Amino acid sequence: MARENKPEKIDTLGKRLGMLLFSGLFAVAFGLGGYFAGLQPLAQTLRAALQVRSWQPVAAQVLGTELKRHTSSDSTTYRVHAHYRYEFAGRQYEGTRVGLDPSAGADNIGDWHQHWHGLLQSAQSPGQSITIMVNPHAPSQALIDPSIRWGLQMFRVPFA
């Protein structure tokens, strides 16, 4: 007796393969999104926090600061900008990095941006200085706040 292919079995197999392909693409897309939006920024911040521990504190003069606001229909985000000058090993340098995250964008997680903008504005007075951290092996690398923003890190965890 010859074996017959039943159209129902072929149709069911096709649906299963289609669903498997769709699920696989869905998993890859969300996996990549989680990596780039959560895991990679988490790891970069933690790695930077470890590296900065060996950097040296140096006095710096604040040349300028600005708090940028971006308002949308549902929220307002902030980003602090800074410009400062410092001397290390007899050479003058200028920096702009504020926190550990070198590619930091605007956010509304806590008041970190507003806090640093206020401190930097106060430090712009003549004779005032702030303490920054400078990489002794690459003195052009410096930042103001070497602490981890735990609120931002916790925000990234679900994406990771």
Side-chain angles (χ1 to χ4, degrees):
M1 180 169 193
R3 192 171 176 180
E4 293 181 29
N5 284 335
K6 295 185 179 180
E8 299 137 7
K9 284 190 175 184
I10 294 173
D11 188 38
T12 303
L13 181 61
K15 286 181 181 177
R16 286 183 182 175
L17 287 174
M19 186 56 85
L20 183 63
L21 180 63
F22 174 76
S23 298
L25 290 173
F26 189 81
V28 168
F30 273 86
L32 288 173
Y35 174 76
F36 288 110
L39 192 59
Q40 186 181 36
L42 276 170
Q44 285 176 339
T45 300
L46 295 174
R47 188 178 316 115
L50 289 173
Q51 290 172 347
V52 169
R53 290 175 33 182
S54 66
W55 291 14
Q56 295 179 3
V58 172
Q61 177 189 6
V62 177
L63 303 174
T65 183
E66 183 180 6
L67 183 64
K68 296 217 175 192
R69 291 177 179 88
H70 180 265
T71 305
S72 66
S73 61
D74 59 345
S75 69
T76 301
T77 58
Y78 302 91
R79 182 174 183 188
V80 63
H81 289 269
H83 186 211
Y84 48 90
R85 180 180 300 131
Y86 59 99
E87 184 177 324
F88 188 84
R91 291 192 57 200
Q92 292 281 325
Y93 296 92
E94 291 188 8
T96 58
R97 187 171 169 189
V98 179
L100 286 173
D101 193 354
S103 60
D107 64 65
N108 58 4
I109 300 168
D111 64 348
W112 185 85
H113 295 278
Q114 297 90 324
H115 170 77
W116 278 106
H117 176 68
L119 289 176
L120 294 169
Q121 259 189 330
S122 299
Q124 278 187 282
S125 304
Q128 295 286 328
S129 66
I130 60 169
T131 300
I132 64 169
M133 300 302 288
V134 176
N135 183 346
H137 305 292
S140 62
Q141 294 179 356
L143 62 82
I144 297 172
D145 182 15
S147 61
I148 295 173
R149 290 182 59 199
W150 289 109
L152 180 59
Q153 292 296 82
M154 295 310 294
F155 176 78
R156 290 172 172 162
V157 167
F159 296 99

